[in-house]
């Protein structure tokens, strides 16, 4: 199967082009335009005749309108693949052995990728996945994007291009938007504009040439006029551009041709071309329109910043626009292609259409943790399958604990980080009651004793799907010690050693603490159960009534319990000593204090 396009007569030859696709299915012609998919490998075959006789010895120049070209005497048949959707104009120029030319433009539509921006997983905004065992909604929406042609009438040079006697300027604007065979009629061009800087206008010739070689000189060399075009920089030998002016040439200008007189006082203006635009009559509107600027002196240089062709409004080609039509299904070669979801445990697709938007909704219950890809398929009127992929993630139950280790009486902040959880139940692993939360994601718990605890988070979603996460909490204790207890102090008010007290280091790691001080007759003179008081305040040498105690020897008895479980226990004596129990320390748990005045 192939498609045949009959081409109207053009200069020098008649060109017939038949186009086929090597893909299955073959894509239909949309009106008078070949249509294909982005993966279509299309064969272009040209048959050239001259007055009805075949042309066998010719050079073929192909331009595929996507930045790629090819040429050669063996290129009467070529293949090409377009990776991007849109409208293309395939341009073919043929030159035979007698230098006769033919030119053909063939429009081609390549399916534009639909807009899938509204295709998504149906989850709340702050939910990033689903529970393993639950299902998630797959919301498919696709609508066609319109392709619009962009007609280029201007060449922009960035950076500016230097012009000198050894660097002539040459660039082209290529048109392929005009109807086949359209030629230039007198008055079609309003003006030609150039943004130019050159140090001597007399050294320049500016010429515009169309595809068939017809040309018009806008400005010719002028040995008598040497005004500046633009404002060159002070150093005329420099290769840097100065300040350009915008010059226009129009058949309707009243300023005359460009010279020293007409450049003053307003250089940036419209001028008469030195040859009339009427010279271009009969030029093919499609093809290359080329601007040449020649400098015939080596004393200076210049720069081109941009140039443009300005057609009159009624002469401009219409902009080409199109968009695919998305279908609920299409039968091609007895195979039905349509709208559906594909992926792990995806259910059937409910299909509907609203204007040009295809809607396909489904659900899926993936059973593998992690991201799961689901592909939404649609088809267009060209017969091109289109698809996009979204991700439905099966999210494990997750939580954090801060900190996860530390000393006893450890405050730990637990946080549920499972996005889909609507119920959170915590078992902190220390035999405390489990706690159920519906709203709160963050809870705190205190671990009082040394140990390794497995805190378990049980989470559930609205459908009752359950998952778990476990965090290990390590609770340690600092080894306790009771040492370096002072045995002398002098409460005489001189500010030196007036208070009997402990250092922090001497009571390190204590969880409970109690000290009692007695005089030599066994009378209690001071007592505290506050470890901070024993360290920071201490005994000032007075009894409970605030009476200053006499100098002498006093005795202390300590009962304390370390965080590590060791008990420090002293006694006042007078009783028969018993062997200490395990983990009970009596050494340093009692002693004497010398009070001097």
């Amino acid at each position: 199967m192939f498609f045949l396009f009959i081409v109207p007569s053009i200069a020098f030859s008649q060109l017939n082009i038949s186009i086929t696709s090597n893909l299955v299915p073959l894509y239909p012609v949309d009106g008078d335009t070949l249509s294909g998919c982005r993966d279509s490998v299309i064969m272009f075959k040209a048959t050239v005749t001259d007055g009805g006789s075949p042309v066998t010895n010719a050079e073929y120049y192909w331009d595929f309108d996507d930045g790629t070209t090819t040429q050669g005497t063996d290129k009467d048949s070529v293949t090409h693949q377009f990776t991007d959707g849109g409208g293309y104009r395939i341009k073919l120029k043929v030159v035979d052995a007698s230098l006769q030319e033919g030119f053909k433009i063939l429009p081609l539509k390549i399916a534009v990728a639909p807009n899938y921006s509204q295709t998504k997983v149906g989850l709340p905004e702050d939910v990033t996945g689903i529970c393993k065992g639950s299902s998630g909604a797959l919301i498919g929406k696709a609508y066609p994007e319109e392709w619009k042609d962009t007609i280029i009438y201007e060449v922009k040079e960035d950076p500016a291009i230097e012009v000198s006697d050894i660097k002539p300027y040459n660039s082209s604007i290529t048109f392929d938007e005009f109807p086949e065979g359209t030629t230039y009629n007198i008055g079609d061009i309003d003006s030609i504009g150039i943004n130019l800087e050159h140090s001597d206008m007399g050294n320049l010739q500016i010429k515009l040439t169309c595809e068939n070689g017809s040309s018009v000189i806008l400005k010719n060399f002028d040995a008598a006029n040497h005004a500046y075009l633009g404002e060159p920089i002070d150093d005329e030998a420099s290769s840097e551009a100065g300040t350009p002016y915008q010059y226009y040439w129009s058949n309707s200008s009243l300023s005359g041709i460009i010279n020293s007189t007409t450049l003053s006082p307003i250089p940036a203006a419209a001028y008469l071309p030195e040859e009339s635009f009427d010279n271009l009559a009969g030029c093919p509107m499609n093809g290359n329109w080329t601007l040449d600027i020649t400098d015939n002196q080596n004393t200076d240089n210049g720069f081109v910043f941009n140039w443009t062709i300005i057609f009159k409004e009624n002469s401009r080609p219409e902009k080409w626009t199109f968009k695919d039509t998305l279908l609920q299904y299409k039968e091609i070669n007895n195979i039905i292609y349509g709208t559906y979801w594909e992926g792990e445990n995806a259910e059937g697709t409910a299909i509907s259409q609203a204007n040009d938007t295809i809607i396909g909704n489904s659900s899926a219950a993936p059973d593998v943790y992690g991201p799961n890809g689901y592909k939404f398929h649609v088809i267009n009127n060209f017969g091109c399958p289109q698809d996009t992929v979204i991700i439905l993630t099966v999210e494990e139950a997750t939580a954090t604990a801060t900190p996860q280790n530390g000393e006893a009486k450890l405050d730990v902040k637990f946080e549920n980080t499972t996005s889909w959880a609507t119920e959170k139940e915590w078992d902190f692993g220390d035999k405390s009651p489990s706690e159920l939360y519906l709203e709160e994601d963050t809870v705190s718990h205190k671990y009082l004793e040394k140990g390794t605890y497995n805190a378990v988070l049980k989470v559930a979603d609205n459908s009752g799907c359950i998952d778990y996460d476990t965090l290990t909490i390590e609770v340690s204790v600092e080894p306790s010690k009771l040492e370096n207890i002072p045995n002398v102090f002098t409460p005489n008010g001189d500010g030196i050693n007036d208070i009997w007290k402990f250092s922090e280091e001497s009571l390190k790691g204590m969880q409970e603490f109690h000290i009692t001080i007695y005089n030599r007759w066994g009378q209690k003179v001071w007592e505290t159960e506050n470890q901070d008081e024993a360290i920071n305040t201490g005994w000032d040498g007075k009894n409970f009534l605030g009476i200053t105690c006499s100098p002498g020897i006093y005795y202390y008895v300590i009962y304390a319990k370390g965080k590590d479980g060791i008990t420090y226990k002293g006694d006042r004596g007078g009783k028969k000593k018993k062997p200490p129990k395990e983990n009970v320390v009596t050494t340093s748990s009692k002693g004497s204090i010398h009070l001097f005045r």
Side-chain angles (χ1 to χ4, degrees), residues 553-576:
I553 297 177
Y554 293 80
Y555 303 93
Y556 63 85
V557 176
I558 295 173
Y559 172 82
K561 188 174 183 181
K563 295 176 183 178
D564 54 5
I566 296 177
T567 299
Y568 298 83
K569 187 176 183 180
D571 59 64
R572 292 176 56 193
K575 296 181 180 179
K576 187 175 180 181

Side-chain angles (χ1 to χ4, degrees), residues 117-136:
S117 61
Q118 298 180 48
T119 297
K120 60 185 179 179
V121 174
L123 296 175
E125 186 175 344
D126 57 346
V127 175
T128 57
I130 62 172
C131 176
K132 183 179 179 182
S134 284
S135 64

Side-chain angles (χ1 to χ4, degrees), residues 252-508:
S252 60
S253 172
L254 300 179
S255 299
I257 65 171
I258 192 168
N259 57 42
S260 300
T261 302
T262 56
L263 281 170
S264 176
I266 306 174
Y271 300 89
L272 278 175
E274 300 209 17
E275 296 180 348
S276 173
F277 290 165
D278 296 350
N279 290 4
L280 302 172
C283 279
M285 297 295 276
N286 288 319
N288 293 326
W289 291 76
T290 303
L291 185 74
D292 289 286
I293 302 178
T294 306
D295 185 342
N296 68 356
Q297 298 290 330
N298 63 4
T299 58
D300 55 8
N301 65 353
F303 292 87
V304 178
F305 290 76
N306 60 63
W307 70 277
T308 182
I309 300 177
I310 301 174
F311 290 98
K312 290 184 178 178
E313 189 68 33
N314 59 0
S315 301
R316 295 179 183 177
E318 292 185 6
K319 286 192 173 182
W320 181 22
T321 66
F322 75 90
K323 63 179 179 180
D324 310 345
T325 301
L326 299 182
L327 308 175
Q328 294 190 30
Y329 67 89
K330 184 177 181 69
E331 184 174 339
I332 305 172
N333 294 340
N334 298 319
I335 300 175
I336 295 178
Y337 298 85
T339 302
Y340 64 97
W341 279 98
E342 176 189 7
E344 183 72 21
N345 294 334
E347 299 183 359
T349 304
I351 306 170
S352 61
Q353 191 160 5
N355 298 322
D356 59 355
T357 300
I358 294 291
I359 301 170
N361 292 335
S362 183
S363 62
D367 54 9
V368 177
Y369 282 119
N372 292 265
Y374 288 87
K375 186 177 290 187
F376 181 51
H377 295 268
V378 296
I379 193 165
N380 75 347
N381 58 310
F382 298 172
C384 301
Q386 315 266 16
D387 60 68
T388 190
V389 175
I390 62 171
I391 301 299
L392 177 59
T393 300
V394 177
E395 182 182 330
E396 296 184 72
T398 56
T400 62
T402 309
Q404 282 192 247
N405 57 75
E407 290 192 19
K409 293 188 178 180
L410 180 67
D411 277 315
V412 179
K413 182 178 78 172
F414 291 94
E415 182 175 7
N416 162 59
T417 54
T418 313
S419 70
W420 50 260
T422 55
E423 290 187 5
K424 289 81 67 174
E425 184 175 351
W426 285 99
D427 181 345
F428 298 110
D430 60 354
K431 298 183 179 180
S432 61
S434 297
E435 298 185 40
L436 178 65
Y437 300 90
L438 298 179
E439 301 296 333
E440 297 86 351
D441 280 315
T442 302
V443 298
S444 294
H445 186 74
K446 180 175 286 189
Y447 290 91
L448 301 177
E449 297 181 358
K450 175 183 178 181
T452 299
Y453 303 93
N454 289 323
V456 178
L457 170 64
K458 175 184 176 183
V459 287
D461 65 10
N462 287 326
S463 67
C465 181
I466 295 173
D467 204 352
Y468 300 86
D469 191 23
T470 300
L471 299 167
T472 300
I473 309 298
E474 295 284 352
V475 181
S476 60
V477 294
E478 185 179 29
S480 62
K481 59 184 177 181
L482 182 62
E483 60 186 17
N484 298 325
I485 301 173
N487 58 8
V488 175
F489 78 122
T490 58
N492 55 12
D494 63 357
I496 300 174
N497 199 22
D498 284 336
I499 304 296
W500 185 86
K501 59 183 180 180
F502 293 85
S503 67
E504 287 188 13
E505 188 65 26
S506 64
L507 296 182
K508 192 171 183 180

Side-chain angles (χ1 to χ4, degrees), residues 188-193 248-251 270 277 308-312:
D188 282 348
I189 292 179
D190 176 80
S191 57
I192 307 295
Y248 291 92
W249 286 269
S250 171
N251 274 351
F277 290 165
T308 182
I309 300 177
I310 301 174
F311 290 98
K312 290 184 178 178

Side-chain angles (χ1 to χ4, degrees), residues 77-91:
S77 179
V78 296
T79 60
H80 192 69
Q81 183 175 19
F82 295 87
T83 58
D84 296 323
Y88 296 90
R89 294 181 178 89
I90 313 305
K91 294 175 281 293

